[in-house]
Amino acid sequence: MSTETIAKHILYVDDEPQALKYFARLFGDRFEIATAESVDAALEYLREHGDRVSVVVTDQRMPEKSGVQLMEQIRYEFPNIARILLTAYSELELAIQSVNEGGAFRYLKKPLDENEMIGTLLRAQEYHGVLDERDRLLREKISVLHRLIVMDRIRGLATAATALGCRVRNSWQALVAYMQQSPVKQRIAMQMDEIAALNMTAIARREAEMMVRTVELLLRDTVAPASGRNSDLALPAWLGQFVQGRQAAAADEDVTIRLVDPPSETQIASDEGLLTQLLEILLRRLCDLQEQPTEIQIGAQPLADGVQLDLKGCFADLDSGQVASLFAAAIPLQKWPIGLDMDLLSAFMLAHHLGGSLQIIPAAPQGPGFSLKLPATAPTADPEPAAIDPQWFDTVYESLEQWEQEIMEG
């Protein structure tokens, strides 16, 4: 039998200091041993070093909390750690409880038989290794499936952007900007069970349907509202009318809209219908993100070649889940129904069609909210077909690889 030190170690839990020393001395030449003198101390150790522990051996009778209670908690928090219960008493009911509630790998009686314990620990470590390898393979499989789903969605969006190129200016550039700010680029961690629960066949069929709907939604949001001409808009007065016209609807959602520091004598030439649609989408997204009565501030500041409009919510910074909810067009997870909440992509399309750009600001002091930059005069020439750069797909693949690596390591 090999005496080589095993990388992952054994955590022994007992309220008797002498028992802890005896266990470490008896088995320390074969295994790396860590000890804890109570259930709470064991859990604290595992929450800091759980990735380094393969087996927990625990005495049953300890003050305040029992060994079975410890194993039950470990089963919930660290299911791959093998659990062995020790007791000085032969109780059938306890043995059954240790398996049913604590998921015990083995149930052993004190005093310890050295050879039996060595054999049990080696088998427990092998069992732990099998579970870890199973999970690694599952994560790899899920990672491949998820990449296929995401890339299929992105290819569909690229097709939609190309199809819209004859109606919407800079549609391809808008999609690239949208993807660059999405969680795919930011590598936001996600729950593995959400991906594992996806029905691949149903998704493939639904994706085809959703791509058709996506084009319809984008056309509805970006072409239908167009006035067809650029109007000269005195920005302070125009923003004031916009805010006033939406106060009542916002109040129904416990939101107050306030115009802050409007620029004096600032004027832009833009399609009023599309600009109105764009601001309404951004305002709606902010209203959806707030969870309690709040205020949304709309401000503007002149730029050398145009204007910057800022929509800011007076609530906490956006967490990763809230940011991800803005990108349902690219992240096909169950938590965010496929095909819904696509309007932020429409907002990017509108911003770029008007010759500007859109930035999501997740945190204070500028956010949470959106920053929209518009030129003094929106383009009037007919849109040209989008020139697709194949290297862009390579960038998305690289982002996915980094994202998935972070998931695997997490």
Side-chain angles (χ1 to χ4, degrees):
M1 188 178 295
S2 172
T3 58
E4 181 182 356
T5 301
I6 299 175
K8 287 201 171 184
H9 55 256
I10 313 297
L11 175 63
Y12 180 63
V13 187
D14 199 310
D15 64 309
E16 297 181 8
Q18 285 300 112
L20 297 176
K21 294 179 181 178
Y22 174 74
F23 190 93
R25 184 170 62 250
L26 195 59
F27 303 108
D29 61 336
R30 291 179 177 270
F31 308 97
E32 184 176 342
I33 305 295
T35 60
E37 59 186 14
S38 69
V39 169
D40 289 340
L43 290 173
E44 182 179 354
Y45 182 86
L46 287 172
R47 285 163 186 160
E48 290 186 15
H49 309 290
D51 59 331
R52 295 166 49 193
V53 176
S54 58
V55 183
V56 170
V57 181
T58 177
D59 187 35
Q60 162 62 7
R61 297 205 172 189
M62 292 182 287
E64 298 181 1
K65 298 177 183 177
S66 68
V68 169
Q69 288 176 302
L70 171 60
M71 292 200 307
E72 185 178 6
Q73 191 64 30
I74 295 173
R75 186 182 193 179
Y76 174 73
E77 293 190 43
F78 309 94
N80 284 7
I81 293 180
R83 300 168 290 280
I84 299 172
L85 185 71
L86 303 180
T87 180
Y89 305 91
S90 180
E91 301 176 15
L92 178 61
E93 182 178 346
L94 176 60
I96 294 173
Q97 184 186 21
S98 69
V99 173
N100 291 344
E101 297 181 13
F105 177 78
R106 283 294 303 274
Y107 172 87
L108 299 176
K109 285 184 59 180
K110 287 183 174 182
L112 300 179
D113 180 284
E114 182 177 353
N115 290 329
E116 181 184 23
M117 176 57 75
I118 290 173
T120 300
L121 290 176
L122 289 172
R123 289 193 297 274
Q125 287 197 318
E126 291 174 357
Y127 174 72
H128 170 80
V130 169
L131 292 182
D132 271 1
E133 179 65 9
R134 179 205 64 183
D135 287 356
R136 183 187 68 80
L137 293 173
L138 178 60
R139 283 195 299 270
E140 288 181 357
K141 179 180 179 181
I142 289 174
S143 176
V144 170
L145 291 173
H146 181 254
R147 177 181 299 194
L148 290 174
I149 296 169
V150 171
M151 289 309 300
D152 188 60
R153 168 61 66 87
I154 292 170
R155 281 191 293 268
L157 292 175
T159 302
T162 304
L164 288 169
C166 61
R167 305 288 299 275
V168 179
R169 279 183 293 271
N170 305 318
S171 57
W172 176 253
Q173 289 82 355
L175 176 60
V176 172
Y178 175 85
M179 290 303 304
Q180 285 176 338
Q181 296 185 53
S182 75
V184 172
K185 187 66 176 178
Q186 297 171 3
R187 307 186 303 278
I188 292 180
M190 57 191 183
Q191 296 298 318
M192 299 301 290
D193 55 353
E194 290 178 354
I195 307 169
L198 294 174
N199 183 317
M200 301 301 156
T201 303
I203 283 177
R205 182 174 60 251
R206 194 175 180 189
E207 281 293 305
E209 297 171 353
M210 284 301 112
M211 278 303 105
V212 175
R213 184 180 173 191
T214 296
V215 174
E216 294 174 346
L217 290 173
L218 291 173
L219 285 172
R220 182 199 67 188
D221 286 344
T222 60
V223 175
S227 62
R229 65 183 185 280
N230 287 341
S231 303
D232 291 331
L233 305 176
L235 207 56
W238 187 86
L239 283 174
Q241 293 174 358
F242 176 85
V243 169
Q244 184 177 2
R246 282 140 192 88
Q247 288 284 18
D252 291 339
E253 299 186 42
D254 293 326
V255 174
T256 301
I257 308 173
R258 184 165 68 91
L259 187 60
V260 296
D261 301 325
S264 59
E265 301 180 0
T266 299
Q267 186 165 308
I268 62 172
S270 192
D271 187 307
E272 184 174 3
L274 294 182
L275 182 56
T276 300
Q277 174 76 350
L278 173 53
L279 291 185
E280 285 182 342
I281 291 174
L282 300 181
L283 188 61
R284 184 164 63 243
R285 288 292 110 231
L286 277 182
C287 287
D288 288 345
L289 289 170
Q290 62 87 26
E291 298 179 354
Q292 57 187 0
T294 191
E295 177 179 277
I296 293 176
Q297 300 175 352
I298 299 179
Q301 53 182 308
L303 302 175
D305 54 352
V307 67
Q308 177 175 312
L309 302 179
D310 298 303
L311 287 79
K312 177 182 176 180
C314 297
F315 45 84
D317 295 349
L318 303 183
D319 59 33
S320 61
Q322 289 173 313
V323 173
S325 71
L326 297 171
F327 291 94
I331 310 297
L333 297 182
Q334 285 184 331
K335 184 180 291 185
W336 311 302
I338 296 173
L340 301 181
D341 292 338
M342 303 285 271
D343 55 0
L344 188 66
L345 178 54
S346 297
F348 274 83
M349 294 282 186
L350 286 167
H352 283 259
H353 178 76
L354 294 173
S357 63
L358 179 62
Q359 181 74 31
I360 296 172
I361 312 295
Q366 285 77 28
F370 304 99
S371 180
L372 171 65
K373 293 181 179 180
L374 295 171
T377 303
T380 56
D382 291 336
E384 297 180 0
I388 297 178
D389 182 0
Q391 292 184 349
W392 180 76
F393 284 97
D394 294 336
T395 300
V396 175
Y397 274 116
E398 291 170 4
S399 298
L400 281 172
E401 289 174 356
Q402 294 173 349
W403 187 19
E404 289 158 1
Q405 183 63 33
E406 184 172 296
I407 294 167
M408 297 283 286
E409 294 174 354

